[in-house]
Amino acid sequence: MKDQIPLLTPYKMGNFQLAHRIVLAPLTRFRSYNSIPQSYAILYYSQRTTEGGFLITEGTLISLAAQGYKNAPGIWSKEHIDAWKPIVDAVHAKGGVFFCQLWHLGRVSDQSYEANAGVPPVSSTDKQCSPVVDSNGHVLFEFPPPRRLKTKEISGIVNDYRVAARNAMEAGFDGVEIHGAHGYLIDQFLKDEINDRTDAYGGSIENRCRFAMEVVENIVNEIGANRVGIRLSPFADYMGSGDSNPEALGLYMVKSLNKYGILYCHMVEPRMKLLEERRECTDSLEAMREAFNGTFIVAGGYEREDGNDAINQKHADLVGYGRLFLANPDLPKRFELDAPLNKHNRETFYTEDPIVGYTDYPFLKTTV
């Protein structure tokens, strides 16, 4: 039966033999108190692990200065490395492949978060990010005006990424995913609606991509190209991160990435222009898919049927699932059986409770 479902066919991703094509996409959960991953995450990640499954952590902060949200996990110190180790071990014990997503928030730094008091966040620009409001118009997060990085400071941030990647390997991760999407620091350099620099890191597509490529190069040199992926969202407009020519930007990025031979590129579908809002659109990732030499992962609003179609039609090698995997820890089994799915509860996505909305989503009842 498995062989009839494209999502459940095996796939060789570099040196990693995957049993199926369903990826746990990175999901921010804000349950790492004071940036330290907690023991509860052992259960959370292991629940979602299958033999030969591929999992990516929630966004994990590369440095003290990269912070911006309370209780997001870090990977910049020995304390973080030691806290991640049992979580990684639990995923490996069940046969999973586990990558750590490396995150720097840049200007998207919550000004109410006490760790940031009095220190402006850094960015490609000094333009302020608009506040995040909910559907009722209530302000959820406000962001202070950022400080534009000086040209000579950028190499220091690049080095923070390199150290974080080395730390992730020390914690036992199989590799890292560079978060270059959704309006965070790397995206703040990539997108021309944010990046207004006049130095070597602004202006042309090549210049705007320079920071991202320096991060990739340094991490590849540190841990090896076969352990490096990147997440990109050229079409998305999260946190004011639109671009005047997203297809050209995405194409330039994947062609540049080919020079480094990295393991995978994880692309957010154009239909997810705004966070959690799937829309119809004519834009496509096809040109990027064809141009990229490594494994191509797509994510953004996928369900069982269109995920199978994406694999069947060779639109992608793997499909990332976020909210469906959050609410269905046994998602591959449910897809195999075409079983009903638990509905996610948005109210508990970002709460601090270590169980409710985190590890208490039910599994299918096993039938003998």
Side-chain angles (χ1 to χ4, degrees):
M1 183 178 174
K2 269 193 179 184
D3 296 335
Q4 296 164 2
I5 304 172
L7 281 168
L8 292 175
T9 54
Y11 176 75
K12 189 94 161 47
M13 180 176 72
N15 298 327
F16 303 105
Q17 183 60 60
L18 305 181
H20 56 78
R21 315 290 186 110
I22 302 163
V23 179
L24 175 67
L27 292 162
T28 295
R29 304 309 313 271
F30 294 146
R31 287 163 167 87
S32 298
Y33 312 131
N34 298 315
S35 84
I36 305 301
Q38 301 294 305
S39 58
Y40 319 113
I42 297 172
L43 181 58
Y44 172 76
Y45 282 108
S46 65
Q47 281 179 335
R48 287 157 184 78
T49 304
T50 49
E51 180 80 38
F54 181 38
L55 299 84
I56 307 164
T57 68
E58 60 210 280
T60 302
L61 299 159
I62 63 166
S63 67
L64 192 63
Q67 293 184 99
Y69 290 125
K70 187 180 179 185
N71 296 334
I75 188 71
W76 70 82
S77 73
K78 184 176 187 304
E79 192 178 358
H80 293 111
I81 294 168
D82 290 345
W84 275 114
K85 279 179 179 175
I87 304 167
V88 177
D89 288 348
V91 170
H92 285 159
K94 290 183 74 175
V97 175
F98 204 14
F99 274 42
C100 182
Q101 193 194 56
L102 303 182
W103 200 21
H104 191 309
L105 295 166
R107 70 177 189 165
V108 185
S109 181
D110 175 19
Q111 64 183 21
S112 69
Y113 178 38
E114 62 275 10
N116 299 330
V119 181
V122 297
S123 182
S124 64
T125 183
D126 53 15
K127 292 184 291 188
Q128 191 169 3
C129 185
S130 300
V132 174
V133 295
D134 64 18
S135 54
N136 300 316
H138 299 134
V139 173
L140 299 177
F141 296 108
E142 286 188 279
F143 309 109
R147 181 177 69 78
R148 185 194 304 270
L149 282 162
K150 298 185 176 77
T151 308
K152 66 183 181 187
E153 292 179 294
I154 292 174
S155 62
I157 308 267
V158 172
N159 191 58
D160 288 341
Y161 275 97
R162 181 190 64 79
V163 171
R166 186 182 67 202
N167 289 349
M169 299 310 295
E170 195 179 325
F173 284 104
D174 298 296
V176 301
E177 175 176 287
I178 300 161
H179 195 342
H182 295 166
Y184 299 111
L185 183 63
I186 290 175
D187 216 20
Q188 290 160 30
F189 277 84
L190 296 177
K191 302 290 185 63
D192 61 11
E193 285 186 17
I194 299 179
N195 187 336
D196 55 358
R197 302 178 73 89
T198 55
D199 63 2
Y201 293 90
S204 66
I205 285 189
E206 181 183 7
N207 281 1
R208 285 183 280 121
C209 294
R210 189 182 307 280
F211 174 58
M213 288 305 145
E214 289 178 357
V215 170
V216 169
E217 182 174 18
N218 275 265
I219 291 178
V220 163
N221 290 342
E222 183 69 34
I223 68 171
N226 61 334
R227 296 185 180 278
V228 179
I230 191 168
R231 194 176 211 206
L232 299 170
S233 59
F235 293 94
D237 194 12
Y238 305 169
M239 308 296 183
S241 64
D243 193 80
S244 61
N245 194 342
E247 179 139 357
L249 175 62
L251 209 47
Y252 180 86
M253 277 296 292
V254 295
K255 288 178 177 175
S256 302
L257 291 167
N258 284 339
K259 297 171 195 166
Y260 299 101
I262 66 169
L263 183 64
Y264 72 79
C265 181
H266 184 180
M267 266 303 173
V268 178
E269 286 286 356
R271 64 191 180 194
M272 304 301 283
K273 186 180 173 81
L274 297 171
L275 191 60
E276 297 173 3
E277 184 184 308
R278 178 171 164 168
R279 66 190 179 111
E280 293 307 312
C281 74
T282 54
D283 294 316
S284 167
L285 298 176
E286 285 307 318
M288 291 153 228
R289 158 67 162 163
E290 288 169 21
F292 186 64
N293 294 340
T295 292
F296 198 74
I297 306 175
V298 294
Y302 274 96
E303 295 173 1
R304 181 180 187 268
E305 188 177 351
D306 58 350
N308 278 323
D309 290 344
I311 302 300
N312 217 16
Q313 295 161 13
K314 300 197 169 10
H315 175 63
D317 299 305
L318 305 172
V319 180
Y321 287 90
R323 284 164 287 172
L324 286 188
F325 223 147
L326 181 155
N328 297 274
D330 52 358
L331 189 65
K333 174 60 71 177
R334 289 177 188 256
F335 277 1
E336 180 188 344
L337 301 175
D338 201 9
L341 300 176
N342 300 324
K343 181 83 179 76
H344 63 261
N345 177 6
R346 184 174 307 286
E347 302 296 312
T348 57
F349 278 5
Y350 307 123
T351 55
E352 295 182 13
D353 194 294
I355 299 168
V356 176
Y358 192 53
T359 56
D360 65 346
Y361 281 102
F363 286 74
L364 278 173
K365 300 282 189 290
T366 50
T367 51
V368 180

PDB file of all heavy atoms in Angstrom, residues 107 120-129 143-150 188-189 193-197:
ATOM      1  N   ARG A 107      15.638  42.911  12.518  1.00  0.00           N
ATOM      2  CA  ARG A 107      14.777  43.994  13.031  1.00  0.00           C
ATOM      3  C   ARG A 107      13.459  43.495  13.619  1.00  0.00           C
ATOM      4  O   ARG A 107      12.746  44.245  14.281  1.00  0.00           O
ATOM      5  CB  ARG A 107      14.491  45.004  11.916  1.00  0.00           C
ATOM      6  CG  ARG A 107      13.583  44.487  10.811  1.00  0.00           C
ATOM      7  CD  ARG A 107      13.287  45.555   9.770  1.00  0.00           C
ATOM      8  NE  ARG A 107      12.248  45.099   8.839  1.00  0.00           N
ATOM      9  CZ  ARG A 107      11.584  45.910   8.012  1.00  0.00           C
ATOM     10  NH1 ARG A 107      11.861  47.201   7.979  1.00  0.00           N
ATOM     11  NH2 ARG A 107      10.658  45.418   7.209  1.00  0.00           N
ATOM     12  N   PRO A 120      18.956  48.444  20.435  1.00  0.00           N
ATOM     13  CA  PRO A 120      18.183  48.279  19.200  1.00  0.00           C
ATOM     14  C   PRO A 120      18.634  47.039  18.438  1.00  0.00           C
ATOM     15  O   PRO A 120      19.818  46.690  18.449  1.00  0.00           O
ATOM     16  CB  PRO A 120      18.496  49.559  18.416  1.00  0.00           C
ATOM     17  CG  PRO A 120      19.776  50.072  18.976  1.00  0.00           C
ATOM     18  CD  PRO A 120      19.828  49.622  20.402  1.00  0.00           C
ATOM     19  N   PRO A 121      17.698  46.344  17.778  1.00  0.00           N
ATOM     20  CA  PRO A 121      18.093  45.209  16.952  1.00  0.00           C
ATOM     21  C   PRO A 121      18.858  45.698  15.725  1.00  0.00           C
ATOM     22  O   PRO A 121      18.756  46.869  15.349  1.00  0.00           O
ATOM     23  CB  PRO A 121      16.753  44.587  16.548  1.00  0.00           C
ATOM     24  CG  PRO A 121      15.781  45.722  16.604  1.00  0.00           C
ATOM     25  CD  PRO A 121      16.255  46.620  17.705  1.00  0.00           C
ATOM     26  N   VAL A 122      19.625  44.807  15.118  1.00  0.00           N
ATOM     27  CA  VAL A 122      20.384  45.182  13.914  1.00  0.00           C
ATOM     28  C   VAL A 122      19.668  44.684  12.666  1.00  0.00           C
ATOM     29  O   VAL A 122      18.860  43.744  12.724  1.00  0.00           O
ATOM     30  CB  VAL A 122      21.822  44.635  13.952  1.00  0.00           C
ATOM     31  CG1 VAL A 122      22.593  45.250  15.117  1.00  0.00           C
ATOM     32  CG2 VAL A 122      21.841  43.111  14.022  1.00  0.00           C
ATOM     33  N   SER A 123      19.973  45.319  11.544  1.00  0.00           N
ATOM     34  CA  SER A 123      19.355  44.936  10.281  1.00  0.00           C
ATOM     35  C   SER A 123      20.201  45.457   9.125  1.00  0.00           C
ATOM     36  O   SER A 123      21.234  46.106   9.330  1.00  0.00           O
ATOM     37  CB  SER A 123      17.928  45.498  10.191  1.00  0.00           C
ATOM     38  OG  SER A 123      17.299  45.097   8.981  1.00  0.00           O
ATOM     39  N   SER A 124      19.719  45.184   7.908  1.00  0.00           N
ATOM     40  CA  SER A 124      20.337  45.765   6.716  1.00  0.00           C
ATOM     41  C   SER A 124      20.007  47.243   6.614  1.00  0.00           C
ATOM     42  O   SER A 124      20.633  47.984   5.868  1.00  0.00           O
ATOM     43  CB  SER A 124      19.802  45.048   5.469  1.00  0.00           C
ATOM     44  OG  SER A 124      18.397  45.285   5.338  1.00  0.00           O
ATOM     45  N   THR A 125      18.993  47.666   7.356  1.00  0.00           N
ATOM     46  CA  THR A 125      18.387  48.976   7.203  1.00  0.00           C
ATOM     47  C   THR A 125      18.148  49.616   8.563  1.00  0.00           C
ATOM     48  O   THR A 125      18.311  48.955   9.597  1.00  0.00           O
ATOM     49  CB  THR A 125      17.032  48.823   6.469  1.00  0.00           C
ATOM     50  OG1 THR A 125      16.438  50.108   6.248  1.00  0.00           O
ATOM     51  CG2 THR A 125      16.054  47.969   7.285  1.00  0.00           C
ATOM     52  N   ASP A 126      17.724  50.886   8.562  1.00  0.00           N
ATOM     53  CA  ASP A 126      17.245  51.480   9.807  1.00  0.00           C
ATOM     54  C   ASP A 126      15.736  51.727   9.743  1.00  0.00           C
ATOM     55  O   ASP A 126      15.172  52.409  10.585  1.00  0.00           O
ATOM     56  CB  ASP A 126      18.002  52.776  10.137  1.00  0.00           C
ATOM     57  CG  ASP A 126      17.995  53.779   8.999  1.00  0.00           C
ATOM     58  OD1 ASP A 126      17.186  53.613   8.055  1.00  0.00           O
ATOM     59  OD2 ASP A 126      18.802  54.730   9.036  1.00  0.00           O
ATOM     60  N   LYS A 127      15.082  51.130   8.715  1.00  0.00           N
ATOM     61  CA  LYS A 127      13.620  51.239   8.592  1.00  0.00           C
ATOM     62  C   LYS A 127      12.952  50.287   9.583  1.00  0.00           C
ATOM     63  O   LYS A 127      13.321  49.121   9.695  1.00  0.00           O
ATOM     64  CB  LYS A 127      13.171  50.887   7.160  1.00  0.00           C
ATOM     65  CG  LYS A 127      13.601  51.907   6.112  1.00  0.00           C
ATOM     66  CD  LYS A 127      13.041  51.568   4.744  1.00  0.00           C
ATOM     67  CE  LYS A 127      13.667  50.321   4.150  1.00  0.00           C
ATOM     68  NZ  LYS A 127      13.260  50.097   2.744  1.00  0.00           N
ATOM     69  N   GLN A 128      11.944  50.807  10.270  1.00  0.00           N
ATOM     70  CA  GLN A 128      11.255  50.040  11.300  1.00  0.00           C
ATOM     71  C   GLN A 128      10.284  49.033  10.677  1.00  0.00           C
ATOM     72  O   GLN A 128       9.657  49.308   9.665  1.00  0.00           O
ATOM     73  CB  GLN A 128      10.487  51.017  12.187  1.00  0.00           C
ATOM     74  CG  GLN A 128       9.930  50.446  13.462  1.00  0.00           C
ATOM     75  CD  GLN A 128       9.429  51.551  14.387  1.00  0.00           C
ATOM     76  OE1 GLN A 128       9.457  52.736  14.038  1.00  0.00           O
ATOM     77  NE2 GLN A 128       8.969  51.175  15.567  1.00  0.00           N
ATOM     78  N   CYS A 129      10.169  47.870  11.316  1.00  0.00           N
ATOM     79  CA  CYS A 129       9.196  46.858  10.888  1.00  0.00           C
ATOM     80  C   CYS A 129       7.823  47.205  11.467  1.00  0.00           C
ATOM     81  O   CYS A 129       7.708  47.581  12.629  1.00  0.00           O
ATOM     82  CB  CYS A 129       9.632  45.482  11.386  1.00  0.00           C
ATOM     83  SG  CYS A 129       8.606  44.123  10.824  1.00  0.00           S
ATOM     84  N   PHE A 143       7.847  46.433  17.138  1.00  0.00           N
ATOM     85  CA  PHE A 143       9.288  46.323  16.918  1.00  0.00           C
ATOM     86  C   PHE A 143       9.938  47.704  16.930  1.00  0.00           C
ATOM     87  O   PHE A 143       9.457  48.623  16.259  1.00  0.00           O
ATOM     88  CB  PHE A 143       9.552  45.622  15.585  1.00  0.00           C
ATOM     89  CG  PHE A 143       8.812  44.326  15.448  1.00  0.00           C
ATOM     90  CD1 PHE A 143       7.740  44.209  14.576  1.00  0.00           C
ATOM     91  CD2 PHE A 143       9.159  43.220  16.211  1.00  0.00           C
ATOM     92  CE1 PHE A 143       7.034  43.020  14.452  1.00  0.00           C
ATOM     93  CE2 PHE A 143       8.460  42.026  16.101  1.00  0.00           C
ATOM     94  CZ  PHE A 143       7.394  41.925  15.218  1.00  0.00           C
ATOM     95  N   PRO A 144      11.029  47.847  17.665  1.00  0.00           N
ATOM     96  CA  PRO A 144      11.698  49.152  17.725  1.00  0.00           C
ATOM     97  C   PRO A 144      12.450  49.437  16.427  1.00  0.00           C
ATOM     98  O   PRO A 144      12.721  48.523  15.649  1.00  0.00           O
ATOM     99  CB  PRO A 144      12.673  48.983  18.893  1.00  0.00           C
ATOM    100  CG  PRO A 144      12.981  47.524  18.914  1.00  0.00           C
ATOM    101  CD  PRO A 144      11.732  46.824  18.460  1.00  0.00           C
ATOM    102  N   PRO A 145      12.805  50.696  16.189  1.00  0.00           N
ATOM    103  CA  PRO A 145      13.621  50.993  15.006  1.00  0.00           C
ATOM    104  C   PRO A 145      14.956  50.253  15.101  1.00  0.00           C
ATOM    105  O   PRO A 145      15.597  50.261  16.165  1.00  0.00           O
ATOM    106  CB  PRO A 145      13.835  52.515  15.085  1.00  0.00           C
ATOM    107  CG  PRO A 145      12.772  53.011  16.015  1.00  0.00           C
ATOM    108  CD  PRO A 145      12.484  51.901  16.965  1.00  0.00           C
ATOM    109  N   PRO A 146      15.385  49.603  14.025  1.00  0.00           N
ATOM    110  CA  PRO A 146      16.651  48.861  14.075  1.00  0.00           C
ATOM    111  C   PRO A 146      17.849  49.785  13.837  1.00  0.00           C
ATOM    112  O   PRO A 146      17.698  50.925  13.393  1.00  0.00           O
ATOM    113  CB  PRO A 146      16.508  47.874  12.917  1.00  0.00           C
ATOM    114  CG  PRO A 146      15.665  48.604  11.913  1.00  0.00           C
ATOM    115  CD  PRO A 146      14.707  49.443  12.726  1.00  0.00           C
ATOM    116  N   ARG A 147      19.003  49.245  14.125  1.00  0.00           N
ATOM    117  CA  ARG A 147      20.259  49.919  13.790  1.00  0.00           C
ATOM    118  C   ARG A 147      20.834  49.284  12.532  1.00  0.00           C
ATOM    119  O   ARG A 147      20.939  48.059  12.444  1.00  0.00           O
ATOM    120  CB  ARG A 147      21.247  49.786  14.953  1.00  0.00           C
ATOM    121  CG  ARG A 147      22.580  50.486  14.710  1.00  0.00           C
ATOM    122  CD  ARG A 147      23.484  50.395  15.924  1.00  0.00           C
ATOM    123  NE  ARG A 147      23.975  49.049  16.182  1.00  0.00           N
ATOM    124  CZ  ARG A 147      24.963  48.463  15.511  1.00  0.00           C
ATOM    125  NH1 ARG A 147      25.565  49.066  14.502  1.00  0.00           N
ATOM    126  NH2 ARG A 147      25.349  47.235  15.845  1.00  0.00           N
ATOM    127  N   ARG A 148      21.169  50.122  11.557  1.00  0.00           N
ATOM    128  CA  ARG A 148      21.751  49.600  10.316  1.00  0.00           C
ATOM    129  C   ARG A 148      23.175  49.094  10.596  1.00  0.00           C
ATOM    130  O   ARG A 148      24.004  49.815  11.158  1.00  0.00           O
ATOM    131  CB  ARG A 148      21.795  50.726   9.280  1.00  0.00           C
ATOM    132  CG  ARG A 148      22.264  50.282   7.898  1.00  0.00           C
ATOM    133  CD  ARG A 148      22.605  51.480   7.023  1.00  0.00           C
ATOM    134  NE  ARG A 148      21.489  52.401   6.907  1.00  0.00           N
ATOM    135  CZ  ARG A 148      20.554  52.325   5.963  1.00  0.00           C
ATOM    136  NH1 ARG A 148      20.603  51.368   5.060  1.00  0.00           N
ATOM    137  NH2 ARG A 148      19.574  53.220   5.920  1.00  0.00           N
ATOM    138  N   LEU A 149      23.421  47.840  10.223  1.00  0.00           N
ATOM    139  CA  LEU A 149      24.755  47.276  10.419  1.00  0.00           C
ATOM    140  C   LEU A 149      25.780  48.032   9.581  1.00  0.00           C
ATOM    141  O   LEU A 149      25.551  48.307   8.395  1.00  0.00           O
ATOM    142  CB  LEU A 149      24.779  45.796  10.018  1.00  0.00           C
ATOM    143  CG  LEU A 149      24.180  44.818  11.027  1.00  0.00           C
ATOM    144  CD1 LEU A 149      23.871  43.490  10.346  1.00  0.00           C
ATOM    145  CD2 LEU A 149      25.136  44.605  12.202  1.00  0.00           C
ATOM    146  N   LYS A 150      26.914  48.339  10.198  1.00  0.00           N
ATOM    147  CA  LYS A 150      28.034  48.879   9.429  1.00  0.00           C
ATOM    148  C   LYS A 150      28.630  47.749   8.595  1.00  0.00           C
ATOM    149  O   LYS A 150      28.597  46.577   8.992  1.00  0.00           O
ATOM    150  CB  LYS A 150      29.099  49.448  10.366  1.00  0.00           C
ATOM    151  CG  LYS A 150      28.631  50.602  11.239  1.00  0.00           C
ATOM    152  CD  LYS A 150      29.807  51.166  12.036  1.00  0.00           C
ATOM    153  CE  LYS A 150      29.391  52.384  12.842  1.00  0.00           C
ATOM    154  NZ  LYS A 150      28.630  52.025  14.068  1.00  0.00           N
ATOM    155  N   GLN A 188      16.091  40.242   5.233  1.00  0.00           N
ATOM    156  CA  GLN A 188      16.171  41.704   5.284  1.00  0.00           C
ATOM    157  C   GLN A 188      17.282  42.229   4.371  1.00  0.00           C
ATOM    158  O   GLN A 188      17.246  43.389   3.951  1.00  0.00           O
ATOM    159  CB  GLN A 188      16.380  42.168   6.729  1.00  0.00           C
ATOM    160  CG  GLN A 188      15.149  41.967   7.604  1.00  0.00           C
ATOM    161  CD  GLN A 188      15.458  41.965   9.094  1.00  0.00           C
ATOM    162  OE1 GLN A 188      16.397  42.614   9.561  1.00  0.00           O
ATOM    163  NE2 GLN A 188      14.674  41.207   9.854  1.00  0.00           N
ATOM    164  N   PHE A 189      18.251  41.376   4.080  1.00  0.00           N
ATOM    165  CA  PHE A 189      19.277  41.727   3.088  1.00  0.00           C
ATOM    166  C   PHE A 189      18.808  41.366   1.671  1.00  0.00           C
ATOM    167  O   PHE A 189      19.061  42.104   0.722  1.00  0.00           O
ATOM    168  CB  PHE A 189      20.588  41.002   3.401  1.00  0.00           C
ATOM    169  CG  PHE A 189      21.431  41.703   4.431  1.00  0.00           C
ATOM    170  CD1 PHE A 189      21.202  41.504   5.781  1.00  0.00           C
ATOM    171  CD2 PHE A 189      22.443  42.567   4.060  1.00  0.00           C
ATOM    172  CE1 PHE A 189      21.968  42.155   6.740  1.00  0.00           C
ATOM    173  CE2 PHE A 189      23.216  43.231   5.000  1.00  0.00           C
ATOM    174  CZ  PHE A 189      22.974  43.017   6.351  1.00  0.00           C
ATOM    175  N   GLU A 193      12.580  45.615  -0.868  1.00  0.00           N
ATOM    176  CA  GLU A 193      11.650  46.499  -0.149  1.00  0.00           C
ATOM    177  C   GLU A 193      12.155  46.842   1.259  1.00  0.00           C
ATOM    178  O   GLU A 193      11.652  47.757   1.893  1.00  0.00           O
ATOM    179  CB  GLU A 193      10.247  45.881  -0.084  1.00  0.00           C
ATOM    180  CG  GLU A 193       9.512  45.973  -1.410  1.00  0.00           C
ATOM    181  CD  GLU A 193       8.073  45.495  -1.326  1.00  0.00           C
ATOM    182  OE1 GLU A 193       7.526  45.397  -0.210  1.00  0.00           O
ATOM    183  OE2 GLU A 193       7.507  45.207  -2.393  1.00  0.00           O
ATOM    184  N   ILE A 194      13.152  46.077   1.730  1.00  0.00           N
ATOM    185  CA  ILE A 194      13.767  46.374   3.027  1.00  0.00           C
ATOM    186  C   ILE A 194      15.177  46.932   2.823  1.00  0.00           C
ATOM    187  O   ILE A 194      15.537  47.952   3.383  1.00  0.00           O
ATOM    188  CB  ILE A 194      13.838  45.114   3.925  1.00  0.00           C
ATOM    189  CG1 ILE A 194      12.447  44.556   4.212  1.00  0.00           C
ATOM    190  CG2 ILE A 194      14.556  45.441   5.234  1.00  0.00           C
ATOM    191  CD1 ILE A 194      12.445  43.314   5.075  1.00  0.00           C
ATOM    192  N   ASN A 195      15.974  46.241   2.041  1.00  0.00           N
ATOM    193  CA  ASN A 195      17.390  46.569   1.894  1.00  0.00           C
ATOM    194  C   ASN A 195      17.559  47.860   1.083  1.00  0.00           C
ATOM    195  O   ASN A 195      17.290  47.894  -0.118  1.00  0.00           O
ATOM    196  CB  ASN A 195      18.119  45.404   1.216  1.00  0.00           C
ATOM    197  CG  ASN A 195      19.631  45.605   1.179  1.00  0.00           C
ATOM    198  OD1 ASN A 195      20.131  46.722   1.238  1.00  0.00           O
ATOM    199  ND2 ASN A 195      20.349  44.506   1.048  1.00  0.00           N
ATOM    200  N   ASP A 196      18.006  48.907   1.760  1.00  0.00           N
ATOM    201  CA  ASP A 196      18.229  50.196   1.083  1.00  0.00           C
ATOM    202  C   ASP A 196      19.699  50.616   1.204  1.00  0.00           C
ATOM    203  O   ASP A 196      20.029  51.804   1.189  1.00  0.00           O
ATOM    204  CB  ASP A 196      17.298  51.272   1.666  1.00  0.00           C
ATOM    205  CG  ASP A 196      17.430  51.414   3.183  1.00  0.00           C
ATOM    206  OD1 ASP A 196      18.221  50.656   3.801  1.00  0.00           O
ATOM    207  OD2 ASP A 196      16.748  52.285   3.762  1.00  0.00           O
ATOM    208  N   ARG A 197      20.584  49.623   1.308  1.00  0.00           N
ATOM    209  CA  ARG A 197      22.006  49.896   1.476  1.00  0.00           C
ATOM    210  C   ARG A 197      22.638  50.382   0.165  1.00  0.00           C
ATOM    211  O   ARG A 197      22.153  50.054  -0.923  1.00  0.00           O
ATOM    212  CB  ARG A 197      22.752  48.644   1.961  1.00  0.00           C
ATOM    213  CG  ARG A 197      22.221  48.079   3.267  1.00  0.00           C
ATOM    214  CD  ARG A 197      22.969  46.813   3.665  1.00  0.00           C
ATOM    215  NE  ARG A 197      24.315  47.115   4.146  1.00  0.00           N
ATOM    216  CZ  ARG A 197      24.613  47.389   5.415  1.00  0.00           C
ATOM    217  NH1 ARG A 197      23.657  47.382   6.345  1.00  0.00           N
ATOM    218  NH2 ARG A 197      25.856  47.652   5.771  1.00  0.00           N
TER     219      ARG A 197
END
